[in-house]
Short mmCIF file of all heavy atoms in Angstrom, two decimals:
data_model
loop_
_atom_site.label_atom_id
_atom_site.label_comp_id
_atom_site.label_asym_id
_atom_site.label_seq_id
_atom_site.Cartn_x
_atom_site.Cartn_y
_atom_site.Cartn_z
N ILE A 1 97.30 76.10 72.08
CA ILE A 1 96.70 76.71 73.26
C ILE A 1 96.05 75.66 74.15
O ILE A 1 96.24 75.64 75.37
CB ILE A 1 95.69 77.80 72.85
CG1 ILE A 1 96.44 79.01 72.28
CG2 ILE A 1 94.83 78.22 74.04
CD1 ILE A 1 95.53 79.99 71.56
N VAL A 2 95.24 74.77 73.55
CA VAL A 2 94.52 73.80 74.40
C VAL A 2 95.47 72.78 75.02
O VAL A 2 95.14 72.13 76.01
CB VAL A 2 93.39 73.08 73.62
CG1 VAL A 2 92.37 74.08 73.13
CG2 VAL A 2 93.92 72.23 72.49
N ASN A 3 96.67 72.64 74.44
CA ASN A 3 97.67 71.75 75.03
C ASN A 3 98.53 72.45 76.08
O ASN A 3 99.39 71.82 76.70
CB ASN A 3 98.57 71.17 73.93
CG ASN A 3 97.91 70.01 73.21
OD1 ASN A 3 97.63 68.98 73.83
ND2 ASN A 3 97.63 70.18 71.93
N ASP A 4 98.33 73.74 76.27
CA ASP A 4 99.08 74.53 77.24
C ASP A 4 98.13 74.82 78.41
O ASP A 4 97.29 75.71 78.34
CB ASP A 4 99.55 75.83 76.57
CG ASP A 4 100.37 76.71 77.50
OD1 ASP A 4 100.19 76.61 78.73
OD2 ASP A 4 101.17 77.51 76.99
N ARG A 5 98.25 74.05 79.48
CA ARG A 5 97.24 74.11 80.55
C ARG A 5 97.08 75.50 81.15
O ARG A 5 95.95 75.96 81.33
CB ARG A 5 97.57 73.09 81.64
CG ARG A 5 97.32 71.66 81.20
CD ARG A 5 97.76 70.65 82.24
NE ARG A 5 96.94 70.73 83.45
CZ ARG A 5 95.77 70.09 83.60
NH1 ARG A 5 95.27 69.38 82.62
NH2 ARG A 5 95.11 70.19 84.73
N PRO A 6 98.16 76.23 81.46
CA PRO A 6 97.95 77.58 82.02
C PRO A 6 97.16 78.49 81.09
O PRO A 6 96.28 79.23 81.54
CB PRO A 6 99.39 78.09 82.23
CG PRO A 6 100.21 76.85 82.39
CD PRO A 6 99.58 75.85 81.47
N ARG A 7 97.46 78.42 79.79
CA ARG A 7 96.72 79.28 78.85
C ARG A 7 95.27 78.80 78.71
O ARG A 7 94.34 79.60 78.69
CB ARG A 7 97.41 79.29 77.49
CG ARG A 7 98.66 80.14 77.48
CD ARG A 7 99.03 80.58 76.07
NE ARG A 7 99.56 79.48 75.27
CZ ARG A 7 99.83 79.58 73.98
NH1 ARG A 7 99.62 80.69 73.33
NH2 ARG A 7 100.33 78.54 73.33
N ALA A 8 95.08 77.48 78.61
CA ALA A 8 93.72 76.95 78.46
C ALA A 8 92.87 77.29 79.67
O ALA A 8 91.69 77.66 79.54
CB ALA A 8 93.78 75.43 78.27
N PHE A 9 93.43 77.20 80.88
CA PHE A 9 92.69 77.55 82.09
C PHE A 9 92.27 79.02 82.05
O PHE A 9 91.16 79.38 82.47
CB PHE A 9 93.53 77.30 83.34
CG PHE A 9 93.50 75.86 83.82
CD1 PHE A 9 94.66 75.23 84.22
CD2 PHE A 9 92.31 75.15 83.87
CE1 PHE A 9 94.64 73.91 84.67
CE2 PHE A 9 92.28 73.84 84.32
CZ PHE A 9 93.45 73.21 84.72
N ARG A 10 93.16 79.88 81.57
CA ARG A 10 92.84 81.31 81.55
C ARG A 10 91.74 81.61 80.53
O ARG A 10 90.85 82.42 80.80
CB ARG A 10 94.11 82.13 81.28
CG ARG A 10 94.94 82.31 82.55
CD ARG A 10 96.35 82.74 82.32
NE ARG A 10 97.02 82.98 83.59
CZ ARG A 10 97.48 82.01 84.39
NH1 ARG A 10 97.34 80.73 84.03
NH2 ARG A 10 98.07 82.30 85.54
N LEU A 11 91.79 80.95 79.39
CA LEU A 11 90.73 81.15 78.42
C LEU A 11 89.38 80.69 78.97
O LEU A 11 88.36 81.35 78.79
CB LEU A 11 91.05 80.41 77.12
CG LEU A 11 92.16 80.98 76.26
CD1 LEU A 11 92.29 80.17 74.97
CD2 LEU A 11 91.89 82.44 75.91
N LEU A 12 89.39 79.56 79.64
CA LEU A 12 88.15 79.05 80.23
C LEU A 12 87.62 80.01 81.29
O LEU A 12 86.42 80.29 81.36
CB LEU A 12 88.41 77.67 80.83
CG LEU A 12 87.20 76.85 81.26
CD1 LEU A 12 86.19 76.71 80.13
CD2 LEU A 12 87.64 75.47 81.75
N LYS A 13 88.54 80.57 82.08
CA LYS A 13 88.14 81.53 83.12
C LYS A 13 87.54 82.80 82.49
O LYS A 13 86.55 83.34 82.97
CB LYS A 13 89.36 81.88 83.97
CG LYS A 13 89.05 82.69 85.22
CD LYS A 13 89.34 81.88 86.47
CE LYS A 13 88.90 82.64 87.73
NZ LYS A 13 89.65 83.85 88.00
N ILE A 14 88.15 83.27 81.40
CA ILE A 14 87.63 84.46 80.73
C ILE A 14 86.27 84.16 80.11
O ILE A 14 85.35 84.99 80.18
CB ILE A 14 88.62 84.97 79.67
CG1 ILE A 14 89.82 85.63 80.38
CG2 ILE A 14 87.97 85.97 78.73
CD1 ILE A 14 90.93 86.04 79.47
N ALA A 15 86.11 82.98 79.50
CA ALA A 15 84.82 82.62 78.92
C ALA A 15 83.73 82.61 79.99
O ALA A 15 82.62 83.12 79.77
CB ALA A 15 84.92 81.26 78.23
N ARG A 16 84.05 82.06 81.15
CA ARG A 16 83.07 82.04 82.24
C ARG A 16 82.81 83.45 82.75
O ARG A 16 81.67 83.81 83.07
CB ARG A 16 83.58 81.15 83.37
CG ARG A 16 83.52 79.67 83.02
CD ARG A 16 84.15 78.81 84.10
NE ARG A 16 84.03 77.39 83.79
CZ ARG A 16 84.79 76.44 84.31
NH1 ARG A 16 85.75 76.77 85.18
NH2 ARG A 16 84.62 75.18 83.97
N SER A 17 83.85 84.26 82.82
CA SER A 17 83.70 85.64 83.27
C SER A 17 82.80 86.41 82.32
O SER A 17 81.94 87.19 82.75
CB SER A 17 85.08 86.30 83.35
OG SER A 17 84.97 87.69 83.53
N ALA A 18 82.95 86.17 81.02
CA ALA A 18 82.11 86.85 80.03
C ALA A 18 80.64 86.47 80.23
O ALA A 18 79.74 87.31 80.08
CB ALA A 18 82.57 86.52 78.62
N ASP A 19 80.40 85.22 80.57
CA ASP A 19 79.02 84.78 80.84
C ASP A 19 78.44 85.49 82.06
O ASP A 19 77.25 85.79 82.12
CB ASP A 19 78.98 83.27 81.07
CG ASP A 19 79.14 82.48 79.77
OD1 ASP A 19 78.93 83.06 78.69
OD2 ASP A 19 79.47 81.29 79.84
N GLU A 20 79.31 85.72 83.05
CA GLU A 20 78.84 86.31 84.32
C GLU A 20 78.70 87.82 84.24
O GLU A 20 77.83 88.41 84.89
CB GLU A 20 79.83 85.96 85.44
CG GLU A 20 79.86 84.47 85.79
CD GLU A 20 81.08 84.08 86.61
OE1 GLU A 20 81.87 85.00 86.97
OE2 GLU A 20 81.26 82.88 86.89
N GLU A 21 79.55 88.46 83.44
CA GLU A 21 79.60 89.93 83.41
C GLU A 21 78.66 90.51 82.35
O GLU A 21 79.06 91.35 81.54
CB GLU A 21 81.04 90.40 83.16
CG GLU A 21 82.03 90.04 84.25
CD GLU A 21 81.82 90.84 85.53
OE1 GLU A 21 81.28 91.96 85.45
OE2 GLU A 21 82.19 90.34 86.59
N THR A 22 77.43 90.05 82.33
CA THR A 22 76.51 90.56 81.33
C THR A 22 76.18 92.03 81.61
O THR A 22 76.15 92.46 82.76
CB THR A 22 75.22 89.73 81.29
OG1 THR A 22 74.65 89.71 82.60
CG2 THR A 22 75.50 88.31 80.83
N VAL A 23 75.91 92.76 80.55
CA VAL A 23 75.63 94.20 80.67
C VAL A 23 74.23 94.54 80.14
O VAL A 23 73.89 95.71 79.99
CB VAL A 23 76.68 95.03 79.90
CG1 VAL A 23 78.07 94.85 80.50
CG2 VAL A 23 76.70 94.65 78.41
N THR A 24 73.43 93.51 79.90
CA THR A 24 72.13 93.70 79.26
C THR A 24 71.32 94.82 79.90
O THR A 24 70.81 95.71 79.22
CB THR A 24 71.32 92.38 79.32
OG1 THR A 24 72.17 91.31 78.88
CG2 THR A 24 70.11 92.45 78.40
N GLU A 25 71.20 94.78 81.23
CA GLU A 25 70.33 95.74 81.92
C GLU A 25 70.96 97.13 82.03
O GLU A 25 70.28 98.08 82.40
CB GLU A 25 69.98 95.21 83.32
CG GLU A 25 69.26 93.87 83.33
CD GLU A 25 67.98 93.88 82.49
OE1 GLU A 25 67.26 94.90 82.51
OE2 GLU A 25 67.71 92.88 81.79
N GLN A 26 72.24 97.25 81.73
CA GLN A 26 72.93 98.54 81.84
C GLN A 26 73.07 99.27 80.51
O GLN A 26 73.52 100.43 80.47
CB GLN A 26 74.32 98.33 82.46
CG GLN A 26 74.30 97.73 83.86
CD GLN A 26 75.66 97.14 84.23
OE1 GLN A 26 76.00 96.03 83.86
NE2 GLN A 26 76.45 97.94 84.94
N LEU A 27 72.69 98.61 79.43
CA LEU A 27 72.93 99.20 78.10
C LEU A 27 72.20 100.52 77.91
O LEU A 27 72.67 101.38 77.16
CB LEU A 27 72.53 98.20 77.01
CG LEU A 27 73.41 96.95 76.90
CD1 LEU A 27 72.82 95.97 75.89
CD2 LEU A 27 74.84 97.31 76.50
N SER A 28 71.10 100.71 78.59
CA SER A 28 70.34 101.96 78.44
C SER A 28 71.13 103.17 78.95
O SER A 28 70.81 104.31 78.62
CB SER A 28 69.01 101.86 79.19
OG SER A 28 69.23 101.63 80.56
N GLN A 29 72.19 102.91 79.75
CA GLN A 29 73.02 104.01 80.27
C GLN A 29 74.02 104.52 79.22
O GLN A 29 74.61 105.59 79.40
CB GLN A 29 73.80 103.54 81.50
CG GLN A 29 72.94 103.04 82.65
CD GLN A 29 73.79 102.40 83.74
OE1 GLN A 29 74.95 102.77 83.94
NE2 GLN A 29 73.23 101.43 84.44
N LEU A 30 74.22 103.74 78.16
CA LEU A 30 75.28 104.05 77.20
C LEU A 30 74.67 104.87 76.06
O LEU A 30 74.23 104.32 75.04
CB LEU A 30 75.92 102.77 76.68
CG LEU A 30 76.65 101.95 77.75
CD1 LEU A 30 77.14 100.63 77.18
CD2 LEU A 30 77.81 102.74 78.34
#
């Protein structure tokens, strides 16, 4: 995976997205 640039880029993008899409303040709605 890390040697496959398109896949590695997508994993990095998802990891960053997970950092940005926090749900901490919304958990009380669930």
Side-chain angles (χ1 to χ4, degrees):
I1 288 167
V2 299
N3 280 297
D4 181 334
R5 289 175 67 85
R7 285 201 288 173
F9 277 136
R10 279 163 176 77
L11 288 183
L12 191 54
K13 189 114 186 293
I14 287 174
R16 288 175 177 159
S17 169
D19 286 341
E20 293 165 4
E21 296 289 334
T22 56
V23 296
T24 312
E25 300 304 321
Q26 299 162 278
L27 292 173
S28 60
Q29 301 171 30
L30 296 174

